[in-house]
Amino acid sequence: MKRNSDMMFFEDFEYKGKSIPQAILGYGPFMAELYFGHRFRLYLDNLYNNPQNIAEVIIESYNQGIRAINLVNDDNLLKAYDLAVSEGCEMKVIATVGKSDVDYLNPNYEVAKEVDWDEDIDLFSQYDCPVMLVDEFITDAYDWALTSKILNRINDAGSLSGLVTAFPSKTSDLVVENLDMNLFDFYMIPYNSLSYMMDISAFNASQRQGFIEKIVKLNKKIIATRIMATGVLKPQEAFAFYKNVDFVDAICMGVASKDEAIEDFSLLKEY
């Protein structure tokens, strides 16, 4: 992590006239993403189908010092955020545009490309939204003309733009060859000590260093996600690993309850 104090996770960094918090609340548990396995049903009942419960988690995260949230265009999620805002909890929005209902575990990229990303950009332009990211199922469809079109549209809307990928190794090679690298500034990638939900079969020291060098060469602002490997790692393990990470500019992590928000973000302050 690019740090300048012991509390760097709870600071902003300035880039191209925008102020970006370094700790971002993720939406994974709120959206009951299928990659949570057996916890999917619990999150569906307790969070996604109960926006008030999501709002309470957002508010507690805010109380713990989190000042940014990753949002997608979903009625329940946006209702929850609006409820939190009505309680004085207003965060900067790091938007992911073009998210579809595609099955995460068996994605249909052609269907993902049909989503109304233009509507998403118009929607999030109404928020305090310094950054908009192209959803991973569009990025990883490798339709470079479409991706370029979305990035240009985001830039024209006045936000900084970026890409999300589920395949940081493969996609990082391809973007350099197929995309105008001046079109975007941010890159959201999964990164954890286990290489869980990453397209890397093993993660020994040399492989890790090779991966880091590949990412650094892109010269983008890096947002890391899946930092706790969707719960496989304990927070202490994840945060200890990140103490020695110096190429990441921000982290995005989800919490599934008020207690988790208190526990995880209190612990994060120690790193």
Side-chain angles (χ1 to χ4, degrees):
M1 192 76 169
K2 296 170 186 174
R3 60 188 64 208
N4 48 32
S5 82
D6 291 338
M7 292 288 287
M8 73 355 176
F9 284 110
F10 291 86
E11 295 180 350
D12 294 2
F13 68 91
E14 303 295 324
Y15 188 70
K16 292 189 175 180
K18 307 284 188 181
S19 185
I20 317 294
Q22 291 186 288
I24 303 164
L25 182 62
Y27 63 74
F30 301 155
M31 293 290 291
E33 296 284 14
L34 288 173
Y35 54 70
F36 285 109
H38 67 279
R39 283 171 290 159
F40 152 76
R41 178 60 61 182
L42 179 67
Y43 294 164
L44 184 67
D45 293 339
N46 290 352
L47 293 168
Y48 183 73
N49 289 331
N50 287 280
Q52 180 62 50
N53 290 352
I54 297 176
E56 291 175 3
V57 178
I58 296 172
I59 292 166
E60 187 56 57
S61 300
Y62 182 87
N63 291 340
Q64 295 299 320
I66 302 302
R67 294 293 181 267
I69 184 169
N70 187 202
L71 293 180
V72 296
N73 185 1
D74 177 89
D75 288 346
N76 284 16
L77 181 60
L78 295 178
K79 179 180 180 181
Y81 179 65
D82 289 343
L83 286 169
V85 170
S86 72
E87 296 294 322
C89 166
E90 196 155 359
M91 298 176 171
K92 291 185 182 296
V93 172
I94 309 301
T96 297
V97 303
K99 181 172 174 59
S100 57
D101 293 328
V102 168
D103 180 353
Y104 196 97
L105 303 178
N106 187 27
N108 184 324
Y109 293 104
E110 293 306 310
V111 171
K113 285 158 52 177
E114 297 300 318
V115 70
D116 191 348
W117 49 266
D118 207 49
E119 177 188 356
D120 293 355
I121 295 171
D122 287 339
L123 169 71
F124 287 116
S125 293
Q126 301 171 42
Y127 289 74
D128 181 2
C129 186
V131 179
M132 296 190 199
L133 306 167
V134 179
D135 184 70
E136 59 204 295
F137 291 128
I138 296 178
T139 299
D140 296 337
Y142 305 137
D143 182 334
W144 303 111
L146 175 61
T147 301
S148 297
K149 185 176 181 180
I150 301 172
L151 291 171
N152 274 308
R153 175 75 168 80
I154 293 170
N155 295 333
D156 289 345
S159 292
L160 300 176
S161 64
L163 303 176
V164 186
T165 182
F167 304 110
S169 185
K170 178 182 178 182
T171 300
S172 297
D173 289 333
L174 292 173
V175 292
V176 175
E177 300 169 0
N178 294 283
L179 208 58
D180 178 355
M181 296 297 286
N182 293 318
L183 277 180
F184 69 103
D185 296 295
F186 286 78
Y187 196 42
M188 180 182 277
I189 62 171
Y191 189 66
N192 55 70
S193 61
L194 303 177
S195 72
Y196 186 77
M197 295 187 77
M198 299 171 62
D199 57 338
I200 300 172
S201 58
F203 218 31
N204 60 36
S206 63
Q207 289 167 313
R208 185 177 296 157
Q209 187 57 37
F211 175 81
I212 291 170
E213 290 172 2
K214 178 185 295 192
I215 300 300
V216 169
K217 282 181 182 178
L218 298 176
N219 194 30
K220 301 301 174 187
K221 294 297 181 183
I222 304 301
I223 303 173
T225 187
R226 318 269 197 270
I227 70 167
M228 288 188 279
T230 67
V232 177
L233 290 170
K234 295 183 182 300
Q236 294 94 327
E237 296 173 303
F239 300 155
F241 174 70
Y242 266 82
K243 286 194 78 169
N244 298 312
V245 172
D246 63 1
F247 70 98
V248 168
D249 297 276
I251 58 171
C252 182
M253 53 179 281
V255 292
S257 68
K258 292 170 64 176
D259 287 345
E260 272 191 26
I262 294 169
E263 179 182 353
D264 291 1
F265 295 132
S266 294
L267 184 64
L268 183 62
K269 291 171 185 173
E270 300 177 11
Y271 290 86

